[in-house]
Amino acid sequence: TNADLSTLSAHLEIYPSFDKQIIKITEGLLRQPTGCFEQASSANYPNIMAMMLMQKSNTNNPEFYAKAKKYLNAGYTKLTSYETTSGGFEWFGRNPPHEALSAYGLLQFHLIKEVGFEIDNAMFDRTLKWLWTRKDQQGGFHFYKGLDGFTSTTYEINNAYITWVLSRVSDYDLHDQIEAVKADVDKNFDAYKVALLVNTLFNTGK
């Protein structure tokens, strides 16, 4: 069938400056974080990216910064409330904690600090140390499937992801973990695992 040309419409926006375009983009990213750890992250992580974009482009918008600060603080508070009594994080703060979710939290907290916000360093260090205790004897990490078996990823991808996060947020010696990821990539090629490995090697100067 042919399209009905009478139904077509177009919308054009012209930005007088690059700053105005950046502001429009970042305003579209901002969200109020709500829900469980995963849902709150889905809003909070783009908020961090929006703040980074504004800072990298040296864009000055006090109204945006005030709104972003409000949302980032709300997201951070929401996320930290899901720390478990055992260490690490879980969707609703229940035991047992989840390794990859905790790594995702560490990355977010690290980025929040990078954009100039204060975080609870004791909480960060506590989570980092807990995650390091979850190492196994194969160069990877113990793999708890999570709430209702939610985590559908593989053990190998789990290891590659956690190793990458640790290379980004810590100075731990990740030799064994990197070698395990390398061996797995050689055996079972996967573009996502390769990307994680390359970024891990970059972060560790290898």
Side-chain angles (χ1 to χ4, degrees):
T1 58
N2 296 322
D4 182 355
L5 297 181
S6 66
T7 65
L8 296 178
S9 64
H11 177 76
L12 175 66
E13 289 188 56
I14 298 175
Y15 302 100
S17 68
F18 180 67
D19 278 8
K20 295 293 184 182
Q21 187 174 3
I22 291 294
I23 289 170
K24 184 68 174 179
I25 293 170
T26 52
E27 284 178 345
L29 289 173
L30 289 182
R31 295 287 186 277
Q32 174 70 49
T34 58
C36 68
F37 192 100
E38 181 190 1
Q39 292 167 333
S41 295
S42 296
N44 197 59
Y45 206 91
N47 289 343
I48 300 170
M49 297 300 104
M51 179 67 80
M52 285 185 163
L53 182 59
M54 291 287 285
Q55 291 179 348
K56 295 289 185 182
S57 61
N58 295 315
T59 303
N60 183 30
N61 184 351
E63 183 179 350
F64 166 84
Y65 274 102
K67 188 175 182 180
K69 182 177 181 180
K70 176 184 176 182
Y71 284 174
L72 274 175
N73 283 332
Y76 171 76
T77 301
K78 187 76 173 174
L79 291 171
T80 55
S81 71
Y82 295 128
E83 183 180 11
T84 75
T85 56
S86 301
F89 286 80
E90 193 264 354
W91 282 266
F92 296 97
R94 303 167 184 164
N95 288 313
H98 190 268
E99 292 83 7
L101 194 74
S102 298
Y104 187 41
L106 283 171
L107 181 62
Q108 284 188 79
F109 302 145
H110 184 79
L111 292 174
I112 289 172
K113 191 173 182 178
E114 280 192 349
V115 297
F117 288 79
E118 290 187 5
I119 66 168
D120 183 344
N121 290 311
M123 175 276 298
F124 185 92
D125 291 342
R126 186 166 62 242
T127 305
L128 185 60
K129 290 176 181 176
W130 173 83
L131 185 58
W132 194 236
T133 68
R134 301 299 294 160
K135 292 180 297 179
D136 61 22
Q137 300 301 312
Q138 288 77 49
F141 295 85
H142 293 289
F143 187 43
Y144 165 55
K145 280 287 188 179
L147 181 69
D148 297 326
F150 175 83
T151 306
S152 60
T153 189
T154 65
Y155 167 83
E156 291 77 16
I157 288 178
N158 191 69
N159 290 340
Y161 178 75
I162 294 175
T163 301
W164 168 66
V165 170
L166 290 174
S167 76
R168 183 72 169 79
V169 307
S170 78
D171 58 358
Y172 286 170
D173 181 0
L174 298 168
H175 176 268
D176 292 347
Q177 286 70 37
I178 291 172
E179 291 303 310
V181 176
K182 282 183 181 178
D184 173 59
V185 166
D186 287 341
K187 184 179 179 182
N188 299 297
F189 181 86
D190 177 277
Y192 179 60
K193 288 187 291 188
V194 171
L196 291 171
L197 174 60
V198 169
N199 280 280
T200 299
L201 293 173
F202 177 80
N203 289 340
T204 55
K206 299 181 183 298

